[in-house]
């Protein structure tokens, strides 16, 4: 399997950020949450280093846990986060157990029930119709079987049939979610077993790091989070979703309306929200200045390293509202 994250992305490579202790803290906190499943919102403004943090944390976690890294921005074009998530889980979690074709096939079968392309009309009774049984008869049979009630087709007008079809679709979706989660848990268990027998043991929980939501279209960002909570949030899986929570709330309002309580809505999807600590701006400036190379600079003792120059640059950046590391770095 191709390298998901470069092995060079480690906390030791970015000593100025000093975020390894925070990663250690999150790992210690989240690992015991795994048995019941957990979704954490890692909040930080755009450009504050969320991607670097997640990549370094990925390389730290992978020594002991199965880890999946999902770049939401790369799949934004697909308009279907469910498809993208299933593909990501397959490539990073199911590939090592590729010999177990039945398990992988079951995972895909359970998951594709919720992929958008198969949803526009679930067409209850479609398979029976293919065998020659009319749609209405098939619908009545399915309703009778699912809910344990006896309904004669002649008693059903078109309006009642529409209601019964809607109710049946909802029941099938609810049962489908449960089946999908069971298939997901089976994939994780097989992965753990394979790594153990191969001499490279991993332990629960499975960590899923979701990145780059800030760059996605508003509706796609929301659908990724909704998909995680409804379909993938199950035992032995810990999701860490990196967001700019303030920007995400704007995205939610763009979809559902300005009067919508975006903060309350988000709180339903996350078990906890934490904020990624920002490195000191002055120290970040100082380190970047020290890396500049001006061999013909006319003033001795390298004035660029003098404290008042660092403070001056900090004041200018603050005055212009520039605080994200990504933006600050552009000036060096």
């Amino acid at each position: 399997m191709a390298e998901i994250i470069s092995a060079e992305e480690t906390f030791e490579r970015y000593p100025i950020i000093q975020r390894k202790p925070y990663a250690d803290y999150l790992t210690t906190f989240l690992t015991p949450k795994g048995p019941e499943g957990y979704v954490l919102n890692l909040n930080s403004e755009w450009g504050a280093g969320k991607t670097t943090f997640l990549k370094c944390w990925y390389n730290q976690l992978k020594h002991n846990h199965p880890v999946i890294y999902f770049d939401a921005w790369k799949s934004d074009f697909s308009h279907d986060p469910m498809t993208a998530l299933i593909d990501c889980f397959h490539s990073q979690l199911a590939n090592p157990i590729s010999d177990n074709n039945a398990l992988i096939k079951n995972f895909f079968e359970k998951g594709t029930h919720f992929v958008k392309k198969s949803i526009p009309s679930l067409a209850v009774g479609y398979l029976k119709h293919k065998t020659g049984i009319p749609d209405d008869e098939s619908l009545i049979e399915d309703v009778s079987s699912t809910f344990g009630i006896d309904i004669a087709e002649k008693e059903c007008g078109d309006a009642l049939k529409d209601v019964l079809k809607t109710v049946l679709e909802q029941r099938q979706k609810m049962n489908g979610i449960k089946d999908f989660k069971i298939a997901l848990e089976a994939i994780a268990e097989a992965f753990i077993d394979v790594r153990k027998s191969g001499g490279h043991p991993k332990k629960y929980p499975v960590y899923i790091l979701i990145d780059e939501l800030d760059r996605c279209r508003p509706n796609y960002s929301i659908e990724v989070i909704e998909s995680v909570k409804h379909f993938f949030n199950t035992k032995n899986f810990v999701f860490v979703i990196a967001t700019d929570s303030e920007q995400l709330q704007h995205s939610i309002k763009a979809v559902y309306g300005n009067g919508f309580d975006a903060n309350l809505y988000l709180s339903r999807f996350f078990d906890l929200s934490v904020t990624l600590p920002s490195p000191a701006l002055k120290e970040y400036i100082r380190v970047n200045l020290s890396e500049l190379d001006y061999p013909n600079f006319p003033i001795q003792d390298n004035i660029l390293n003098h404290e008042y120059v660092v403070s001056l640059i900090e004041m200018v950046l603050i005055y212009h509202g520039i605080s994200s590391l990504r933006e600050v770095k552009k000036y060096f």
Side-chain angles (χ1 to χ4, degrees):
M1 184 176 66
E3 190 176 54
I4 305 301
I5 302 295
S6 170
E8 295 180 357
E9 292 295 308
T10 64
F11 289 112
E12 289 71 24
R13 185 182 179 186
Y14 306 97
I16 181 178
I17 298 179
Q18 298 181 353
R19 283 175 170 168
K20 186 179 185 303
Y22 192 66
D24 293 339
Y25 164 76
L26 287 180
T27 304
T28 301
F29 172 77
L30 290 171
T31 297
K33 306 287 186 182
E36 300 302 320
Y38 206 78
V39 182
L40 178 78
N41 174 29
L42 183 65
N43 171 51
S44 185
E45 66 177 2
W46 182 87
K50 293 190 294 294
T51 294
T52 298
F53 176 81
L54 288 182
K55 289 182 176 181
C56 293
W57 194 20
Y58 173 98
N59 280 327
Q60 179 173 303
L61 285 169
K62 72 179 184 181
H63 296 295
N64 298 309
H65 300 275
V67 192
I68 295 172
Y69 177 82
F70 179 71
D71 185 337
W73 169 245
K74 287 184 178 180
S75 61
D76 177 83
F77 70 91
S78 72
H79 300 277
D80 187 359
M82 191 65 184
T83 301
L85 284 165
I86 289 175
D87 180 62
C88 182
F89 271 69
H90 172 253
S91 63
Q92 298 185 42
L93 192 63
N95 260 344
I97 58 168
S98 56
D99 290 340
N100 197 331
N101 293 327
L103 197 61
I104 295 173
K105 181 182 178 183
N106 184 51
F107 171 67
F108 273 110
E109 287 178 346
K110 303 304 183 186
T112 52
H113 183 70
F114 304 101
V115 172
K116 282 185 178 180
K117 65 182 180 181
S118 64
I119 285 179
S121 174
L122 271 174
V124 178
Y126 173 77
L127 292 177
K128 293 184 179 179
H129 173 65
K130 281 295 188 182
T131 64
I133 302 177
D135 283 343
D136 289 345
E137 183 180 341
S138 176
L139 173 62
I140 301 304
E141 287 184 8
D142 282 349
V143 169
S144 299
S145 173
T146 300
F147 296 100
I149 55 178
D150 187 18
I151 302 176
E153 181 181 349
K154 62 183 180 181
E155 297 173 355
C156 294
D158 290 339
L160 178 56
K161 287 176 183 177
D162 287 341
V163 171
L164 290 174
K165 182 176 180 179
T166 300
V167 173
L168 183 58
E169 287 180 1
Q170 181 64 22
R171 172 65 68 88
Q172 289 180 331
K173 286 181 182 180
M174 294 301 295
N175 291 338
I177 292 174
K178 180 180 178 181
D179 291 341
F180 177 72
K181 289 185 176 183
I182 291 173
L184 191 61
E185 292 165 11
I187 290 282
E189 183 178 359
F191 181 94
I192 295 287
D193 291 342
V194 166
R195 296 308 296 261
K196 185 185 298 182
S197 62
H200 302 284
K202 305 287 184 183
K203 60 184 179 182
Y204 288 123
V206 179
Y207 278 88
I208 301 92
L209 311 179
I210 296 183
D211 194 16
E212 299 287 16
L213 280 180
D214 301 349
R215 303 175 67 183
C216 297
R217 292 173 290 106
N219 60 319
Y220 190 80
S221 298
I222 296 168
E223 289 174 1
V224 168
I225 296 173
E226 290 174 341
S227 294
V228 167
K229 190 64 177 179
H230 293 312
F231 302 111
F232 291 87
N233 183 25
T234 188
K235 65 180 183 179
N236 293 322
F237 283 81
V238 169
F239 285 83
V240 178
I241 304 179
T243 72
D244 179 342
S245 295
E246 183 176 352
Q247 183 59 44
L248 186 58
Q249 289 184 39
H250 289 310
S251 297
I252 292 171
K253 290 180 179 180
V255 173
Y256 294 115
N258 286 328
F260 192 78
D261 191 336
N263 184 53
L264 178 62
Y265 180 76
L266 274 181
S267 69
R268 296 171 180 170
F269 292 96
F270 302 124
D271 294 298
L272 182 68
S273 292
V274 298
T275 299
L276 183 65
S278 298
L281 179 59
K282 181 175 289 187
E283 183 61 25
Y284 189 70
I285 294 170
R286 184 181 293 109
V287 170
N288 279 279
L289 281 174
S290 68
E291 294 175 352
L292 295 178
D293 184 18
Y294 291 103
N296 299 318
F297 200 77
I299 301 179
Q300 295 180 346
D301 300 326
N302 192 358
I303 193 173
L304 290 179
N305 287 331
H306 287 193
E307 189 62 28
Y308 71 85
V309 175
V310 175
S311 298
L312 177 62
I313 295 174
E314 180 190 31
M315 290 171 57
V316 171
L317 291 172
I318 292 175
Y319 176 80
H320 289 284
I322 300 170
S323 58
S324 79
L325 304 187
R326 187 173 297 178
E327 289 298 311
V328 172
K329 185 67 176 177
K330 291 179 181 179
Y331 294 91
F332 295 93

